Amino acid sequence: MEKERKNLSFKALSQHINLDTVKSISKLTEEEAAKKAARDEELKAVMEGKDDRFLLVIGPCSADNEAAVLEYAKRLAKLQEEVKDKIFIVQRVYTNKPRTNGDGYKGLLHQQDPSGEINLVRGMVAVRKMHKRVLTETGLTTADEMLYPENLEFIEDLVSYHAVGARSVEDQQHRFVASGIDHPTGLKNPTSGNINVLFNALYASQQKQELMYNGMEVETSSNPLAHVILRGALKENGSVVPNYHYEDLLKVIEAYKKGNYKNPFIMVDTNHDNSGKKYNEQIRIVQEVLTNRQWNEEIKQYVRGFMIESYLEDGRQEPGGGVFGQSITDPCLGWEKTEELVRYIAANV
């Protein structure tokens, strides 16, 4: 066995990681876990249509700086209290970032200092700490992207909403692991924009599946809270193809109707290839979608969430740029525009 290991092209950088030990760091107390569970039940009711509040998954493109993320969370918690009758907010605390060609900042899990060395073991500790602090210091629950399915186990007790990204949604492991998650899981359309691929992923995520997971053969429970996220598409020539317009929404609704899907729910991602990463366009996109909801009862019934990228400051900077609370990945809406936009959503849902 030892000889076989030496023949693998992987160099061990740490000892075997004990996930129980990692999870013991930043573990929720019984009281904190109960508060999270209560909020998770509210979110479940929103997803199932039993609670008619609009879902907003909002926050920085990447959670790169603990102090800035916590400052954002504290402001967002106050805003949640203001709009709590109309909107249910989950904060984006995205600690894993997909890179199209593998280069660039890969998130807090990889680099605790965006300009520093890569250390994934320290990253696991930093990720848990950030999710816990948002939850315990502000009362908000958090969302993260399931970029690496194997890593789900070390954050599942802290995260309330999981997303499968456009580059991952065609992958069978992501689909099967999503079918075993006990929380809402948003599946983004692939970068090609292919809706058939998206609904194949949704179908797989809403069934029981068998797979090898973290060294065991397992059967998943199925995930009735899996749903679709529309994030636009990208052509080979680099041009973007939005999919939040009226006709796009009706096509996705028809796809839902053709299958026996549980808890039909459409979330519109207002950034990425819907906005062409022009962060201010998110405001106009929200306004258009809300107008379409008022115009068409089916759109109002199905389209019940937005994913919005916002931070303390408008725009973006390069890693190490030094502007507190400004994105180092995709450009985001600043706080003042965010506040105004959330209030607009509350007044028009």
Side-chain angles (χ1 to χ4, degrees):
M1 178 63 72
E2 185 62 31
K3 186 175 180 181
E4 289 179 20
R5 286 181 178 173
K6 287 180 179 177
N7 288 335
L8 292 173
S9 299
F10 297 92
K11 177 183 176 182
L13 299 178
S14 75
Q15 299 296 317
H16 179 76
I17 298 169
N18 186 314
L19 288 179
D20 289 335
T21 301
V22 173
K23 291 178 75 170
S24 71
I25 303 169
S26 297
K27 188 175 182 178
L28 297 176
T29 66
E30 197 171 305
E31 182 181 0
E32 291 164 348
K35 288 180 179 178
K36 178 181 181 295
R39 194 157 171 82
D40 286 348
E41 281 300 308
E42 289 186 71
L43 175 57
K44 181 182 178 184
V46 170
M47 300 301 305
E48 293 176 335
K50 297 174 183 176
D51 183 329
D52 64 2
R53 284 181 292 176
F54 200 83
L55 177 59
L56 194 55
V57 179
I58 186 170
C61 175
S62 56
D64 60 287
N65 180 292
E66 186 174 317
V69 169
L70 262 293
E71 173 59 28
Y72 180 91
K74 289 171 183 175
R75 297 184 191 184
L76 191 64
K78 290 180 182 177
L79 190 56
Q80 167 67 106
E81 182 64 23
E82 180 184 327
V83 300
K84 64 182 179 181
D85 293 337
K86 295 290 186 177
I87 298 175
F88 187 91
I89 295 177
V90 178
Q91 180 173 330
R92 284 175 56 108
V93 180
Y94 274 34
T95 57
N96 306 276
K97 294 305 298 178
R99 302 288 85 183
T100 302
N101 64 3
D103 288 340
Y105 175 65
K106 300 178 184 68
L108 183 69
L109 178 65
H110 284 257
Q111 291 170 278
Q112 295 72 67
D113 176 349
S115 303
E117 66 174 351
I118 293 174
N119 189 307
L120 276 79
V121 178
R122 284 205 300 264
M124 295 170 81
V125 175
V127 165
R128 285 190 61 82
K129 181 183 176 186
M130 187 177 289
H131 279 292
K132 181 183 178 182
R133 286 195 67 191
V134 171
L135 173 64
T136 58
E137 294 180 29
T138 72
L140 292 173
T141 41
T142 60
D144 206 340
E145 179 171 351
M146 188 178 69
L147 185 59
Y148 308 109
E150 297 85 353
N151 292 345
L152 173 68
E153 194 171 344
F154 86 84
I155 60 162
E156 52 82 25
D157 59 322
L158 296 175
V159 176
S160 295
Y161 181 99
H162 300 269
V164 176
R167 300 168 185 82
S168 303
V169 75
E170 298 188 60
D171 175 62
Q172 183 155 297
Q173 186 188 18
H174 280 84
R175 294 174 174 188
F176 282 16
V177 171
S179 75
I181 297 176
D182 291 329
H183 296 99
T185 303
L187 309 168
K188 290 196 174 186
N189 63 260
T191 53
S192 67
N194 191 310
I195 295 301
N196 289 331
V197 168
L198 174 60
F199 276 86
N200 285 337
L202 179 62
Y203 178 84
S205 300
Q206 290 198 347
Q207 312 304 311
K208 291 184 177 181
Q209 305 291 354
E210 294 180 3
L211 71 154
M212 295 298 296
Y213 186 69
N214 284 340
M216 294 183 291
E217 180 183 2
V218 299
E219 180 185 70
T220 66
S221 59
S222 80
N223 186 347
L225 302 180
H227 58 280
V228 303
I229 303 175
L230 304 181
R231 49 87 70 200
L234 186 66
K235 290 186 176 180
E236 287 186 12
N237 64 8
S239 61
V240 297
V241 184
N243 60 5
Y244 62 85
H245 295 307
Y246 187 85
E247 292 77 14
D248 300 306
L249 299 177
L250 292 180
K251 287 177 184 177
V252 177
I253 290 169
E254 282 306 308
Y256 255 123
K257 286 180 175 180
K258 287 178 182 177
N260 186 26
Y261 301 106
K262 303 175 185 72
N263 304 310
F265 190 104
I266 297 171
M267 176 174 284
V268 174
D269 178 347
T270 61
N271 214 9
H272 299 102
D273 290 333
N274 270 331
S275 69
K277 297 187 180 179
K278 298 175 182 175
Y279 64 92
N280 277 323
E281 286 292 286
Q282 294 185 99
I283 299 169
R284 183 190 57 77
I285 292 167
V286 163
Q287 292 172 345
E288 179 179 326
V289 172
L290 292 180
T291 298
N292 287 334
R293 289 179 84 248
Q294 292 170 357
W295 183 260
N296 185 296
E297 190 59 37
E298 280 198 330
I299 292 177
K300 185 174 184 178
Q301 177 186 345
Y302 281 81
V303 181
R304 293 185 283 122
F306 287 127
M307 182 171 282
I308 297 173
E309 291 194 324
S310 93
Y311 211 173
L312 299 178
E313 301 293 338
D314 276 341
R316 71 173 300 276
Q317 62 186 330
E318 292 301 318
V323 179
F324 185 75
Q326 188 176 56
S327 177
I328 61 170
T329 45
D330 289 347
C332 297
L333 281 179
W335 180 252
E336 289 183 6
K337 292 175 182 175
T338 296
E339 239 180 351
E340 186 177 344
L341 184 59
V342 171
R343 289 176 180 138
Y344 178 88
I345 295 169
N348 288 278
V349 291

